[in-house]
Amino acid sequence: MDREIIPNHVAIIMDGNGRWAKRRNLPRSLGHKAGSENLKKLGLHIFKCGVRVLSVYAFSTENFKRSPEEVSYLMDLFVKNFKRELKVFIDNNIRVVFSGRREPLRHDVLEAMDEVVEATRENTAGIFNICLNYGSQYEIIDAVRRIVEEKKDVSELTPKEFEKYLYQDLPPVDFLIRTSGEYRLSNFMMYQLAYAEFYFTDCLFPDFDDKKFDEALKIFQSRDRRFGGVKK
Ligand code: IPE
Ligand code: IPE
Ligand code: MG
């Protein structure tokens, strides 16, 4: 595929795990398990396509409203997956970073996160940004708080400087995908999505495979991005 029209930064709102399970008369937890299995394959495929940064919405700040059983199942799954996938990240030269608040994540979750970040810090083939206990509103609030704490003079503050205070200083998102037929952002990367192309599909995340991604990529490649300029 033409390298030039591969999005540099892809972001995915991985939605629909619960409904995937419900349709099969399975508990929601098995939907999350299927979603995480899918991400393993899909993530590698996306990097193989030439995407440099992949951001995924794993758990929102609002997802703590769910039952304690579901939250704790998800946290256990994160710990297990970060430990198990460490070798895959290393073998594929992928650097893992996290976006989100550390509070009130469990100690073992934080430990597993820190371990994977540390072990992949020097990797250069791609950046896998896992948004966990993430919300855009708190991201912007936390950035403002840090700027105030540093008592920065904000009179000349530019977007480029402001971005350094976000959870991760990453390039802007080029392509946003949301699965499961919902047409909303649910507090995801509102700042970084300023000029992203949006793609919504009814497909539930556990079924959103490599082929479905390739279809989405074709749509991205047919879009006319102008960034506020005039069509050539
Ligand atoms: C997305 O799937 C995963 C998380 C939010 C952790 P959901 O759990 O939201 O699945 P639905 O939307 O209920 O189908
Ligand atoms: C967004 O999905 C969060 C993740 C995919 C992790 P939700 O399922 O939580 O979003 P709403 O509640 O439908 O807006
Ligand atoms: Mg959902």
Side-chain angles (χ1 to χ4, degrees), residues 7-219:
N8 184 50
H9 187 171
V10 170
I12 309 181
I13 303 177
M14 307 183 292
D15 199 10
N17 293 347
R19 277 162 285 172
W20 183 93
K22 196 168 179 211
R23 281 183 198 171
R24 287 163 179 74
N25 275 319
L26 296 169
R28 292 180 60 82
S29 58
L30 291 188
H32 294 312
K33 187 160 181 279
S36 80
E37 297 297 330
N38 184 48
L39 178 60
K40 275 176 217 169
K41 284 193 243 114
L42 180 66
L44 284 181
H45 173 69
I46 291 174
F47 283 119
K48 288 213 171 87
C49 289
V51 170
R52 304 289 302 188
V53 186
L54 172 63
S55 292
V56 294
Y57 208 2
F59 193 89
S60 73
T61 45
E62 290 73 31
N63 286 149
F64 274 110
K65 291 179 189 162
R66 298 187 179 194
S67 73
E69 291 74 28
E70 182 169 351
V71 171
S72 106
Y73 180 87
L74 281 164
M75 295 299 151
D76 290 346
L77 193 63
F78 295 146
V79 174
K80 209 159 52 190
N81 284 340
F82 300 155
K83 286 186 193 298
R84 204 170 47 192
E85 297 313 303
L86 187 55
K87 195 181 171 316
V88 178
F89 297 132
I90 292 171
D91 290 350
N92 289 277
N93 197 18
I94 302 294
R95 180 177 164 212
V96 179
V97 298
F98 287 92
S99 292
R101 281 192 157 180
R102 288 175 74 89
E103 279 286 313
L105 291 175
R106 270 168 21 192
H107 184 70
D108 61 331
V109 178
L110 293 171
E111 217 171 49
M113 288 163 64
D114 291 344
E115 193 185 353
V116 61
V117 168
E118 211 38 63
T120 63
R121 194 177 288 284
E122 307 297 331
N123 291 354
T124 52
I127 300 177
F128 186 38
N129 174 37
I130 305 174
C131 299
L132 202 170
N133 193 24
Y134 174 86
S136 285
Q137 290 171 337
Y138 273 125
E139 179 174 39
I140 293 166
I141 290 169
D142 288 346
V144 171
R145 282 165 73 169
R146 279 180 54 210
I147 291 169
V148 172
E149 272 161 23
E150 287 182 22
K151 293 197 179 54
K152 280 253 185 239
D153 174 10
V154 292
S155 56
E156 307 277 321
L157 191 65
T158 62
K160 205 170 165 45
E161 281 155 350
F162 181 78
E163 284 153 21
K164 295 198 185 95
Y165 291 87
L166 296 172
Y167 292 134
Q168 299 294 336
D169 188 10
L170 298 171
V173 175
D174 297 294
F175 192 30
L176 170 83
I177 297 170
R178 181 168 187 151
T179 56
S180 91
E182 308 296 348
Y183 303 96
R184 54 179 175 263
L185 288 182
S186 304
N187 205 6
F188 187 53
M189 299 188 97
M190 294 187 308
Y191 183 97
Q192 297 88 338
L193 290 168
Y195 269 100
E197 295 297 325
F198 285 25
Y199 178 84
F200 297 100
T201 169
D202 287 341
C203 180
L204 303 174
F205 185 71
D207 295 327
F208 190 77
D209 58 11
D210 298 3
K211 216 172 120 273
K212 294 251 163 47
F213 176 80
D214 294 346
E215 283 167 25
L217 199 54
K218 281 210 185 74
I219 301 290

